[in-house]
């Protein structure tokens, strides 16, 4: 199984900050990586797919990059509504797996 | 508007069974692969399994943790997805989400989730 390791697990930040979340895969997953945002008590929401393609209506302050085994999600100029937990997911092979999550919290 | 609405959650004893349903609307259900994803209280997301569409023979894939105990099925005439859960364990306690897979593999729509509690 492909393991996804997200870091950090917790990320204290302030409005206006630029934050970066890393997702490392235990083996190469080509470009089969997606990022989701989840707020408490809500279903996850798709942000980015195929590493760097922004989902429709997702603000352009979100971006994704990477290849092979290391990927990043960057949020430029963090907004109040961005405080949430973020998950990466690999779609390269079964079983599909998620990273452990990164909670972006108010500093 | 795409809508996915889960139902069937509740309290069940260890070793028991439960069947979850997901009612889909707003899209051509039969064209899509569908997934179940779960989230234990206070924990991260765990992919449970997938059923492909009829064009791909309705084949299924499962996480190792549920393989042999859970069965995913679908009824395209009813626009419904199902998760039959047998031999339930306390570690199966979670919110279960029904989800739609886009052609490029990612999950683009999620239900609101239904809570399954396995406890004596």
């Amino acid at each position: 199984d492909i393991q996804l390791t997200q870091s950090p697990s917790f990320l204290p930040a302030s409005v206006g900050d630029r934050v970066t979340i890393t997702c490392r895969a235990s083996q190469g997953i080509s470009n089969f990586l997606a990022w989701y945002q989840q707020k408490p008590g809500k279903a996850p929401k798709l942000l980015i797919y195929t590493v760097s393609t922004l989902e429709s209506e997702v603000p352009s302050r979100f971006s994704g990059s990477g290849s092979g085994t290391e990927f990043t999600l960057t949020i430029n100029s963090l907004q109040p509504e961005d405080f949430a937990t973020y998950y990466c997911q690999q779609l390269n092979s079964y079983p599909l797996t998620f990273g452990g999550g990164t909670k972006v919290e108010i500093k | 508007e795409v809508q996915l609405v889960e139902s069937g959650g509740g309290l069940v004893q260890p070793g028991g069974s439960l069947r979850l349903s997901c009612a889909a609307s707003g899209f051509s259900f039969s064209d899509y692969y569908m997934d179940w994803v779960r989230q234990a209280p206070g924990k991260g997301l765990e992919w449970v399994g997938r059923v492909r569409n009829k064009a791909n023979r309705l084949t299924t894939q499962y996480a190792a943790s549920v393989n042999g105990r859970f069965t995913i099925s679908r009824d395209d005439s009813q626009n419904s997805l199902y998760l039959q859960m047998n031999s339930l364990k306390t570690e199966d306690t979670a919110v279960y989400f029904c989800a739609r897979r886009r052609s490029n593999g990612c999950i683009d729509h999620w239900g609101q989730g239904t809570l399954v509690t396995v406890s004596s």
Side-chain angles (χ1 to χ4, degrees):
Chain A
D1 297 3
I2 296 175
Q3 312 300 321
L4 295 181
T5 303
Q6 279 185 242
S7 59
S9 299
F10 296 92
L11 182 51
S14 302
V15 172
D17 284 354
R18 181 175 187 259
V19 301
T20 299
I21 299 168
T22 298
C23 178
R24 288 187 175 88
S26 58
Q27 61 192 79
I29 57 172
S30 186
N31 66 339
F32 296 108
L33 187 97
W35 289 96
Y36 304 89
Q37 176 194 67
Q38 187 181 32
K39 296 182 178 179
K42 300 293 187 182
K45 171 189 172 184
L46 176 64
L47 295 177
I48 287 171
Y49 56 93
T50 55
V51 177
S52 60
T53 305
L54 207 61
E55 174 67 349
S56 175
E57 300 185 3
V58 172
S60 59
R61 62 181 179 273
F62 290 91
S63 64
S65 64
S67 64
T69 61
E70 185 155 335
F71 305 89
T72 59
L73 172 69
T74 300
I75 312 172
N76 283 303
S77 189
L78 198 67
Q79 297 301 298
E81 60 269 29
D82 300 336
F83 291 98
T85 301
Y86 294 85
Y87 295 93
C88 56
Q89 184 194 25
Q90 66 84 15
L91 308 156
N92 182 75
S93 62
Y94 293 106
L96 306 184
T97 45
F98 290 91
T102 295
K103 185 176 183 181
V104 178
E105 51 192 15
I106 299 173
K107 185 185 290 183
Chain B
E1 179 193 4
V2 172
Q3 286 201 325
L4 299 169
V5 180
E6 302 93 338
S7 60
L11 175 64
V12 60
Q13 292 189 336
S17 297
L18 205 60
R19 188 195 198 205
L20 305 184
S21 300
C22 171
S25 61
F27 65 103
S28 182
F29 179 74
S30 61
D31 289 342
Y32 286 83
Y33 294 11
M34 297 295 296
D35 287 5
W36 287 97
V37 176
R38 68 183 181 182
Q39 187 169 36
K43 302 297 184 182
L45 300 170
E46 181 186 15
W47 179 80
V48 172
R50 166 171 290 173
V51 61
R52 297 180 178 85
N53 55 18
K54 190 174 182 180
N56 289 278
R57 303 184 181 184
L58 306 177
T59 51
T60 52
Q61 303 279 165
Y62 297 96
S65 58
V66 307
N67 196 29
R69 300 188 299 123
F70 289 12
T71 302
I72 299 174
S73 61
R74 62 192 297 164
D75 183 343
D76 290 345
S77 69
Q78 299 291 319
N79 289 341
S80 293
L81 176 72
Y82 304 103
L83 179 64
Q84 176 67 44
M85 302 184 293
N86 298 330
S87 303
L88 282 160
K89 307 175 181 180
T90 55
E91 54 263 40
D92 295 319
T93 293
V95 173
Y96 285 75
F97 296 100
C98 160
R100 187 183 85 166
R101 173 199 179 269
R102 183 180 285 174
S103 58
N104 60 20
C106 66
I107 294 174
D108 65 352
H109 287 277
W110 302 69
Q112 84 289 349
T114 187
L115 176 62
V116 172
T117 303
V118 184
S119 174
S120 55

